[in-house]
């Protein structure tokens, strides 16, 4: 660069000098050279800095050509557009994919609401039942009570309809669980008798006051059953208004409230069962290295 | 099944005559339970809904015990 500019400067100076003839020619040439050299030395940086990379360095008038796009600039724009377009397409697509995945994770209990966890109960046949019994199959849990004056059979009837449609139409078998919130009155025998009026696969669970209280807390069911009730004492018991759908890992998936009727409830459950990805598969498609970009 | 139907009708009639605790204040209960589902029973956010449901039930002569 330095060499190029210097020789250009020299040529510029020599051109007018060569046209001259006679005595003064030599002197003028020397003076001219001297002047230009001095000028070039005093503000030598200017012509250098104005030469664009790959561009035409200097024209006859000594100025840098301006105003038109250089060839290299055109290439740079094309490259910029191609790379930028490809990256933006790729990241947009990945963002969408990761968002869907994250949503599924969030509903699986890593986000809100976080429910479930260890509990210890007894089923209506006298067998131990813990959170480990949820593993390996989808479960649907309902919290209620059997006490006669306040039977709300609508919900359990609805559950029976869901279970029938799910198995006959979609081949999906759930493990339906009925956890009592009223252990003082709902012994295994009472539960067995009460549930015989509903779908035969519903398994009744009960336990001590503290065990039931713990289970209700874990599933965020309002628990207000009074402890140490006297025999014959009347009291109100709360029941959940939700059916809790749990996946085969025992993780909470969804809570289905009153707004799900016999049809929409089935649709929702089918949707969840079909979109379920087993843990090993989820681990494989774990976070991509660039996922930090979307956080 | 006929006797079942009769019983059901009787139950319904009874429900209308003298409301059962489970048949009243359903919107209030739903609001309360949804709040508890997302925040937990001990959350400050849900106190308002818990009280609303209690008051509503009192209007029908039912006493909802406090949570324990």
């Amino acid at each position: 660069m330095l060499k190029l500019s210097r020789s250009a400067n020299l040529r510029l100076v020599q051109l007018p000098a060569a046209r001259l003839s006679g005595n003064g020619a030599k002197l003028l040439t020397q003076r001219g050279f001297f002047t230009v050299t001095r000028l070039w030395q005093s503000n030598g940086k200017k012509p250098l800095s104005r030469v664009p990379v790959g561009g035409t360095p200097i024209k006859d008038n000594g100025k840098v050509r301006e105003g038109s796009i250089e060839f290299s600039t055109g290439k740079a724009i094309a490259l910029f557009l191609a790379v930028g377009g490809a990256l933006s397409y790729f990241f947009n697509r990945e963002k969408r994919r990761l968002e869907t995945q994250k949503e599924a994770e969030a509903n699986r209990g890593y986000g809100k609401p976080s429910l479930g966890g260890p509990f210890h109960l007894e089923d209506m046949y006298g067998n131990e039942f813990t959170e480990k019994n949820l593993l390996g199959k989808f479960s649907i849990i309902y919290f209620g009570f059997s006490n006669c004056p306040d039977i709300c059979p609508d919900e359990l009837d609805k559950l029976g309809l869901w279970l029938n449609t799910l198995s006959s139409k979609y081949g999906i078998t759930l493990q339906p669980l009925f956890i009592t919130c009223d252990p003082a009155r709902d012994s295994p025998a009472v539960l067995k008798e009460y549930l015989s009026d509903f779908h035969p696969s519903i398994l009744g669970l009960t336990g001590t006051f503290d065990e039931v209280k713990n289970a209700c807390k874990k599933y965020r069911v309002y628990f207000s059953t009074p402890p140490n009730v006297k025999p014959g004492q009347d009291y109100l018991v709360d029941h959940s208004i939700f059916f809790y759908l749990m996946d085969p890992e025992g993780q909470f998936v969804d809570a289905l409230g009153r707004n799900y009727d016999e049809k929409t409830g089935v649709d929702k459950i089918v949707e969840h069962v079909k979109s379920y990805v087993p843990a090993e598969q989820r681990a494989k498609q774990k976070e991509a290295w660039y996922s930090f970009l979307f956080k | 099944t006929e006797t079942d139907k009769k019983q059901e009708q009787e139950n319904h009639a009874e429900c209308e005559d003298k409301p059962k605790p489970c048949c009243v204040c359903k919107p209030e209960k739903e609001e309360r339970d949804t709040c508890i589902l997302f925040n937990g029973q001990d959350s400050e956010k849900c106190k308002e809904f818990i009280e609303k449901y209690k008051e509503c039930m009192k209007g029908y002569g039912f006493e909802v015990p406090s949570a324990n």
Side-chain angles (χ1 to χ4, degrees), chain A residues 268-279:
Chain A
K268 192 79 197 164
I269 294 169
V270 169
E271 192 187 301
H272 279 303
V273 171
K274 285 200 172 156
S275 65
Y276 170 70
V277 184

Side-chain angles (χ1 to χ4, degrees), chain B residues 3-61:
Chain B
T3 47
D4 275 355
K5 269 186 188 168
K6 263 187 195 169
Q7 185 128 32
E8 218 168 88
Q9 276 168 353
E10 268 170 35
N11 277 352
H12 251 277
E14 216 176 281
C15 197
E16 275 157 34
D17 287 351
K18 187 185 171 274
K20 290 184 180 189
C22 65
C23 305
V24 293
C25 304
K26 285 209 164 182
E28 285 84 354
K29 184 176 172 65
E30 186 153 18
E31 245 182 329
R32 182 198 69 172
D33 287 2
T34 309
C35 179
I36 292 172
L37 174 69
F38 281 93
N39 303 294
Q41 190 170 309
D42 306 320
S43 167
E44 286 290 314
K45 286 183 204 163
C46 303
K47 268 193 178 156
E48 178 196 342
F49 299 115
I50 291 171
E51 285 309 313
K52 258 192 198 163
Y53 178 66
K54 254 190 204 174
E55 260 170 52
C56 176
M57 291 295 274
K58 229 179 218 172
Y60 289 95

Side-chain angles (χ1 to χ4, degrees), chain A residues 187-240:
Chain A
S187 66
V190 172
L191 277 180
K192 207 171 157 186
E193 170 64 27
Y194 170 70
L195 290 172
S196 65
D197 288 342
F198 301 99
H199 198 277
S201 69
I202 301 175
L203 186 66
L205 303 177
T206 185
T208 66
F209 180 86
D210 287 326
E211 283 171 342
V212 169
K213 184 180 166 181
N214 168 56
C216 283
K217 286 242 158 170
K218 291 274 162 68
Y219 284 84
R220 293 195 166 163
V221 175
Y222 188 75
F223 187 76
S224 61
T225 309
N228 312 317
V229 284
K230 295 171 200 96
Q233 182 191 336
D234 200 22
Y235 52 92
L236 275 189
V237 182
D238 246 288
H239 61 95
S240 73

Side-chain angles (χ1 to χ4, degrees), chain A residues 238-270:
Chain A
D238 246 288
H239 61 95
S240 73
I241 60 162
F242 300 108
F243 286 99
Y244 298 85
L245 185 66
M246 311 297 287
D247 73 13
E249 290 155 46
Q251 300 274 7
F252 168 75
V253 181
D254 203 0
L256 289 84
R258 281 198 305 144
N259 46 335
Y260 288 99
D261 62 21
E262 57 250 54
K263 207 198 156 290
T264 54
V266 169
D267 293 345
K268 192 79 197 164
I269 294 169
V270 169

Side-chain angles (χ1 to χ4, degrees), chain A residues 161-197:
Chain A
L161 291 173
W162 286 355
L163 295 171
N164 285 337
T165 318
L166 281 169
S167 69
S168 66
K169 214 172 150 190
Y170 300 97
I172 295 169
T173 315
L174 299 180
Q175 172 178 244
L177 301 170
F178 177 93
I179 301 180
T180 181
C181 296
D182 187 12
R185 286 187 283 217
D186 290 345
S187 66
V190 172
L191 277 180
K192 207 171 157 186
E193 170 64 27
Y194 170 70
L195 290 172
S196 65
D197 288 342

